[in-house]
Amino acid sequence: MIRHARVLPVLVLAPLLLTACGSEKAGDAGPSGPASAPAAAPGTGELASRAQAMGVAPELVYVTEAPGFTLARQSVGVLGDEGFSATWVDGGTNALLRLAV
């Protein structure tokens, strides 16, 4: 009976742990449409107003483009105590581009 009591929690928790695994692949359609269809890039004035609305000085915001790379949404998250990171994937070469701040 004691042996079964040790195995039971593992059997019950295993399906719960597996449901937390991601099932999306880079390039899958998300809530806003296919990942390969880039949204129109906002203008400099719009970026400056967004930064100011969030309390960030616009001169500290840098914008860049990475043609061919798609954001891996499951990679976006907290880094350390106050950081942030995201990873983009190139579908053709499987190259990774990681941004960490």
Side-chain angles (χ1 to χ4, degrees):
M1 178 69 178
I2 291 179
R3 185 175 190 181
H4 294 291
R6 283 190 237 159
V7 174
L8 184 61
V10 174
L11 293 176
V12 172
L13 292 176
L16 294 174
L17 293 173
L18 292 175
T19 59
C21 296
S23 61
E24 293 183 22
K25 296 179 182 173
D28 281 353
S32 62
S36 60
T44 305
E46 184 180 349
L47 289 174
S49 65
R50 284 185 190 179
Q52 287 176 339
M54 292 187 294
V56 176
E59 61 270 10
L60 299 177
V61 177
Y62 293 88
V63 179
T64 187
E65 292 183 19
F69 284 83
T70 304
L71 177 65
R73 289 186 291 162
Q74 69 273 15
S75 72
V76 178
V78 177
L79 178 65
D81 291 335
E82 299 178 0
F84 175 83
S85 72
T87 303
W88 285 261
V89 180
D90 181 355
T93 63
N94 291 329
L96 299 175
L97 173 66
R98 183 171 186 215
L99 173 67
V101 293

